[in-house]
Amino acid sequence: SKAGNWPNGLVASISKTYTGEGVKGLTKGWVPTFWGYGAQGLFKFGLNEFFKDYYSHVIGEENLDQTWKKLVLWALSSGSAEIFADVALCPFEMTKVRMQVDIPEIKMSHTLPESMIPAMSTMYKMRTETKFPFGSLVPLWGRQVPYTMIKFVGFYQTQEMVYEYLESKYDKKKADWSAATQLS
């Protein structure tokens, strides 16, 4: 594909890709997408719990007595986790984008291999041109960190509202519900 030469809309873009490259064009870049989003999710969700526990102990559980303090804790925890999650994602995301799109501003001396590991190896060898592996990290942080903070704060607020409702309706606190019920 060529950057800037695309029709508007999902269906038209899929149709153009299929017409030009067939099924192979539609599946190009799925391997780095799979591994990149897997690594990002592992760090995002795993480290969010770590940072939530860590910051809770630093601040002191007894000091989280107001909603705004919990909001700050949740935002800091998820934002901290996303910083590391994006470091894990960045090499895979750069590889996926470079495998899928010819970028006119980046003049590479040869085409990128279609497999993930050889593509990453080529991008690393040409790192002055490609800025691999972390050349797009700052823009990724600018987009992902605020989004993740809002997403997690919204999730935790919703969770608290649900448990407050259940407590008022059934007179049971969160700790009184079984683990299976809490996870469902």
Side-chain angles (χ1 to χ4, degrees):
S1 65
K2 305 282 185 231
N5 296 329
W6 285 94
N8 289 331
L10 176 65
V11 175
S13 295
I14 290 172
S15 177
K16 183 173 181 172
T17 301
Y18 183 76
T19 301
E21 301 177 50
V23 174
K24 191 174 185 178
L26 295 175
T27 60
K28 193 182 293 183
W30 76 268
V31 174
T33 299
F34 174 81
W35 290 107
Y37 289 169
Q40 182 190 34
L42 176 72
F43 281 91
K44 180 185 301 197
F45 293 100
L47 288 178
N48 178 61
E49 292 302 316
F50 167 79
F51 282 118
K52 200 167 59 165
D53 288 344
Y54 177 76
Y55 293 147
S56 293
H57 287 90
V58 169
I59 295 168
E61 296 275 347
E62 67 281 357
N63 294 321
L64 296 171
D65 55 350
Q66 295 175 313
T67 301
W68 73 267
K69 292 177 182 178
K70 291 179 187 176
L71 295 176
V72 170
L73 169 72
W74 297 332
L76 284 173
S77 300
S78 60
S80 298
E82 187 62 37
I83 288 170
F84 291 96
D86 290 342
V87 169
L89 169 66
C90 193
F92 297 101
E93 185 74 6
M94 288 184 75
T95 303
K96 175 198 77 148
V97 168
R98 191 62 194 97
M99 288 171 78
Q100 292 175 336
V101 179
D102 292 328
I103 303 170
E105 293 80 33
I106 299 178
K107 303 289 184 216
M108 292 184 60
S109 55
H110 57 284
T111 56
L112 205 61
E114 293 185 9
S115 297
M116 183 181 78
I117 300 298
M120 289 177 137
S121 178
T122 300
M123 288 182 65
Y124 182 77
K125 288 174 188 168
M126 303 179 71
R127 62 189 171 274
T128 55
E129 297 169 47
T130 63
K131 298 182 176 134
F132 186 80
F134 301 112
S136 62
L137 188 58
V138 172
L140 201 56
W141 281 337
R143 180 178 70 241
Q144 288 295 118
V145 172
Y147 164 76
T148 298
M149 292 167 73
I150 291 167
K151 178 176 66 175
F152 274 84
V153 167
F155 168 78
Y156 287 122
Q157 282 185 301
T158 303
Q159 181 186 46
E160 282 202 345
M161 287 190 295
V162 167
Y163 281 116
E164 286 172 10
Y165 170 78
L166 291 174
E167 184 177 350
S168 70
K169 184 151 176 94
Y170 300 103
D171 196 34
K172 288 174 83 173
K173 295 188 177 294
K174 179 182 176 182
D176 298 332
W177 294 94
S178 70
T181 303
Q182 288 183 29
L183 291 173
S184 62

